[in-house]
Amino acid sequence: MASAGWSIEKRAPLRTDTFSRDNENVPETGCLSIVVLGASGDLAKKKTFPALFHLYRQGFLKPDEVHIFGYARTKISDEELRSRIHGYLTPCKGASTEHTEDVLKFLQLIKYVSGSYDTEEGFRSLDSAISEHEISKNSAGGSSRRLFYFALPPSVYPSVSKMIKNCCMNKSDRGGWTRIVVEKPFGKDLASAEELSSQIGELFDEPQIYRIDHYLGKELVQNMLVLRFANRFFLPLWNRDNIANVQIVFREDFGTEGRGGYFDEYGIIRDIMQNHLLQVLCLVAMEKPVSLKPEHIRDEKVKVLQSVVPIKDEEVVLGQYVGYTDDSTVPDNSSTPTFATVILRLHNERWEGVPFILKAGKALNSRKAEIRVQFKDVPGDIFRCQKQGRNEFVIRLQPPEAIYMKLTVKQPGLEMSTVQSELDLSYGQRYQGVVIPEAYERLILDTIRGDQQHFVRRDELKAAWEIFTPLLHRIEDGEFKLIPYKPGSRGPAEADELLERAGYVQTHGYIWIPPTL
C-alpha cells in the first residue's frame, strides 16, 4: 500500500541558450565570428553591416575577438565587398570625417567567402575561414561563438540551415555556441510558416533560432513594458473600464519605390500588419509577466494572440493607391492591398469589448508609426467639452520619437473655457545629444548576448498566422473589394467610417506639434 505522506520531486532545470541570471556563470571567452549570409544584397549593405559598424564603434564588438564574414554567390574579393559596404558606413549617425579611421579598421575585420546556398563546397570553405580565425585568436576548443545572419530570401532558409548544420557548427559545448538569425517574412500563411519552422526546427533547437522583427528593437517599442508596469498611474486605467479603443498605425508617404515585385507578392498585411503591428499589440495588451526573463515575457505575448477572436469581414477595409500598377514589376490586374484597416478583438477579462484598430498603408499623406490609446468620455462632463476630443495617450514610434498625453485644460484668460493640450516627452528635446540606437543594432547585440526577449518564438509565430491566414485566403479568393485611393490622401474614406463605427472619436482642430529645441 502506498504511503499516505506527500513527497516533492524537484524538477530538473530546463536547458536553455537564452541569457538569464542562471547562466551568467558560464564565461564566454571564445572569439566571435559573425557571418552575414547574402552579404552582397541590399539588406546586408543597408542594415546589417551598418548595425555591426555602430556596435563596433560603441565598443560592443571588440576588434581583438570578433571577425565578420560575408557569404554570397557573387564572386568578388574581400576588397570589393568592403568597397560596396563603405558608402553605407559614412556618414553614419553622429559621424564626421574623423570617423574615417574607424571605418577603415572595421572594414579590415571583414572577410568574404563565395559559394552557393545548397552545396557543401562553399560552406566547407566558410568553415575553414572561421576556424582559421578562431585558431589565430587562440580560442579554446568549443568556446568559440558563431552567429549566422540570414540576409536572404526565406526560400533558401532550409538549404542554408542544412549546410550550416552539416559544415559550420561550433565543434563542442564548452561555453561556445552557434546561433542563427532569420529575417521576416516567416512564410506567407499558417501552412507555409509551419513548414518553414519544421524544416529549421529539425536542425536547430529553439534557443538557437532568433526570428528577428526589427520593430521590437525600436526604442519606444522597448519602452512599452516600462511605461505600463513601472508607473502606478497606468495600472488602474489600462483596461476595458477606462479605454475606449486602441489604434496602432503605420503610415508611409511613398509607394513601393522599386520594391513593387516583392511587395506585390506579400501585400501590406503580410509586410506590416501580421508581424510589426501585431507585435506592438502584444506589448500593449499583455498581462504583467512574472519576471523580465525572455520566456516569461514571450509567454504573455502568446496568451494575447491566442485570445484574439476571428476577424469579421465587416471590420476590414482594404485599398490600393491609384498608380500602384504603373510599376512595371506589378501585374496590371494586381489585387494586392497597399492599405488595410483591420479591427481585432480580444476575448479576455481585461480587453473584452475594446477594439484594437490596426491600420497600415503606403502613399498616404504622412509618414508615421504610433500607438494611440483613446480613453472613454468623462462621465457627467460639467464643462461640456467632450466635443473637443477625448483624453489620449500617444506613443510616437517614428518620426520623431515622442510620448504625449492629450488632455483638456483651461484656456488661459479671463473666461472659463477649455482647450486640448498635451503633456509631452519629445525625445529630441529631452535627451539632447543622445543617439537613439537603430533597431538592428539592439537586436544583433541581444543575439550575441543570448537574450531572446525581443525575438519571435515558434508558438508565437504560429498564433499570429492563425489570426490572419483566414483573412488572407479570403482576400486571395476575391472576396474583398479593393477601394482605390489617391496618393497623398488619408486612404479610403471607408476606413474613417469603420473607425467611427468602432467608437473612435476624432479630435478636430487639434494638431500635435513637436516642441523645438
Side-chain angles (χ1 to χ4, degrees):
M1 188 173 177
S3 169
W6 290 91
S7 63
I8 299 176
E9 180 182 349
K10 187 175 181 180
R11 293 185 180 180
L14 268 172
R15 186 183 182 280
T16 176
D17 194 33
T18 300
F19 176 86
S20 70
R21 299 288 181 197
D22 301 330
N23 61 13
E24 281 184 346
N25 60 347
V26 179
E28 293 193 338
T29 56
C31 65
L32 172 63
S33 299
I34 300 175
V35 182
V36 181
L37 299 146
S40 60
D42 274 359
L43 175 64
K45 291 185 295 186
K46 295 178 180 178
K47 295 294 183 182
T48 314
F49 283 115
L52 292 171
F53 174 58
H54 296 148
L55 290 174
Y56 166 80
R57 278 186 56 218
Q58 296 170 74
F60 291 109
L61 297 180
K62 306 292 185 184
D64 59 342
E65 67 177 27
V66 70
H67 211 70
I68 299 168
F69 298 85
Y71 184 93
R73 289 183 291 235
T74 310
K75 295 186 182 300
I76 56 175
S77 66
D78 294 353
E79 283 305 320
E80 285 176 299
L81 177 63
R82 292 165 185 165
S83 177
R84 291 186 182 193
I85 296 167
H86 188 280
Y88 294 96
L89 307 184
T90 55
C92 61
K93 298 182 308 178
S96 66
T97 54
E98 299 174 5
H99 291 84
T100 303
E101 188 176 339
D102 287 340
V103 172
L104 296 177
K105 287 180 180 178
F106 173 76
L107 291 174
Q108 292 308 306
L109 298 175
I110 299 174
K111 180 177 177 60
Y112 183 73
V113 178
S114 173
S116 70
Y117 295 128
D118 55 1
T119 60
E120 291 192 359
E121 182 182 0
F123 284 88
R124 294 289 181 196
S125 298
L126 176 61
D127 182 62
S128 297
I130 298 173
S131 298
E132 182 181 329
H133 160 63
E134 292 171 348
I135 292 169
S136 72
K137 297 297 183 182
N138 297 316
S139 192
S143 67
S144 300
R145 297 165 288 162
R146 297 185 175 190
L147 174 62
F148 295 85
Y149 194 107
F150 288 32
L152 296 164
S155 58
V156 299
Y157 286 0
S159 63
V160 170
S161 298
K162 184 178 180 181
M163 294 301 107
I164 293 171
K165 184 69 173 181
N166 292 344
C167 307
C168 298
M169 298 292 286
N170 182 41
K171 301 302 185 280
S172 67
D173 192 24
R174 298 176 184 173
W177 42 256
T178 302
R179 295 172 186 153
I180 65 171
V181 182
V182 293
E183 279 271 358
K184 79 170 185 72
F186 312 119
K188 293 187 69 175
D189 56 13
L190 178 59
S192 59
E194 280 290 276
E195 181 182 8
L196 186 60
S197 291
S198 296
Q199 290 171 328
I200 297 176
E202 289 172 358
L203 301 167
F204 295 96
D205 295 332
E206 185 65 21
Q208 295 177 295
I209 303 169
Y210 289 71
R211 299 175 189 85
I212 192 169
D213 183 332
H214 76 272
Y215 250 58
L216 291 176
K218 288 185 175 293
E219 180 67 34
L220 270 73
V221 173
Q222 297 220 328
N223 206 349
M224 272 303 305
L225 294 188
V226 179
L227 288 169
R228 285 198 54 200
F229 301 125
N231 293 289
R232 176 68 185 177
F233 51 77
F234 284 129
L235 294 176
L237 298 179
W238 213 258
N239 54 50
R240 62 190 176 93
D241 296 328
N242 299 285
I243 292 175
N245 54 73
V246 178
Q247 273 197 75
I248 303 171
V249 177
F250 175 92
R251 302 165 66 90
E252 288 182 331
D253 56 2
F254 53 88
T256 52
E257 294 196 340
R259 292 177 67 241
Y262 164 83
F263 182 85
D264 196 69
E265 185 180 352
Y266 290 95
I268 197 71
I269 294 177
R270 289 186 177 96
D271 196 37
I272 300 296
M273 193 171 285
Q274 184 272 340
N275 38 70
H276 300 333
L277 302 194
L278 202 55
Q279 285 292 321
V280 173
L281 182 149
C282 288
L283 297 174
V284 172
M286 64 185 275
E287 298 297 323
K288 182 188 289 188
V290 297
S291 79
L292 290 177
K293 288 184 178 180
E295 294 315 307
H296 290 157
I297 292 172
R298 299 203 293 182
D299 286 345
E300 295 302 332
K301 289 168 64 181
V302 171
K303 290 177 186 176
V304 171
L305 296 174
Q306 291 174 338
S307 73
V308 176
V309 302
I311 298 168
K312 297 178 181 178
D313 289 0
E314 61 268 25
E315 294 192 323
V316 177
V317 172
L318 303 176
Q320 186 184 91
Y321 68 82
V322 176
Y324 170 68
T325 56
D326 293 345
D327 186 324
S328 60
T329 62
V330 175
D332 292 338
N333 61 345
S334 172
S335 59
T336 299
T338 61
F339 175 96
T341 296
V342 178
I343 295 178
L344 299 186
R345 297 185 182 273
L346 279 56
H347 181 58
N348 61 31
E349 183 178 5
R350 182 180 294 272
W351 297 113
E352 188 77 38
V354 178
F356 282 77
I357 303 161
L358 306 189
K359 184 159 63 174
K362 288 183 170 293
L364 299 174
N365 60 349
S366 63
R367 175 177 176 261
K368 68 178 179 181
E370 69 179 19
I371 306 162
R372 184 174 295 267
V373 180
Q374 185 171 90
F375 291 88
K376 293 183 176 181
D377 292 327
V378 175
D381 177 22
I382 59 174
F383 295 101
R384 303 185 186 281
C385 57
Q386 289 181 0
K387 63 180 180 181
Q388 292 177 346
R390 290 169 162 173
N391 295 152
E392 292 181 348
F393 178 56
V394 182
I395 302 173
R396 179 68 67 98
L397 306 179
Q398 66 181 36
E401 292 87 353
I403 301 168
Y404 64 95
M405 299 179 71
K406 283 173 54 179
L407 68 166
T408 302
V409 298
K410 178 185 174 297
Q411 175 83 45
L414 296 176
E415 299 294 330
M416 178 53 75
S417 57
T418 60
V419 67
Q420 280 219 318
S421 188
E422 68 281 321
L423 300 176
D424 197 323
L425 167 58
S426 290
Y427 274 50
Q429 184 184 50
R430 179 66 178 83
Y431 303 111
Q432 296 181 36
V434 176
V435 177
I436 296 177
E438 293 288 344
Y440 280 95
E441 294 174 44
R442 191 189 312 273
L443 295 176
I444 290 174
L445 185 59
D446 282 349
T447 308
I448 295 168
R449 291 171 169 173
D451 186 344
Q452 288 192 309
Q453 175 182 331
H454 303 114
F455 295 84
V456 182
R457 202 167 64 189
R458 180 173 177 175
D459 58 339
E460 186 180 347
L461 177 63
K462 179 182 178 182
W465 276 119
E466 285 174 340
I467 293 169
F468 279 101
T469 293
L471 173 62
L472 290 166
H473 286 175
R474 294 201 298 276
I475 294 171
E476 288 161 358
D477 290 341
E479 297 181 22
F480 282 88
K481 175 188 174 185
L482 292 186
I483 303 168
Y485 63 95
K486 292 182 179 179
S489 68
R490 284 178 51 83
E494 288 83 347
D496 289 333
E497 294 167 6
L498 174 59
L499 265 62
E500 187 175 349
R501 291 200 305 273
Y504 173 70
V505 177
Q506 185 161 352
T507 304
H508 296 284
Y510 170 88
I511 299 176
W512 175 69
I513 302 175
T516 55
L517 299 180

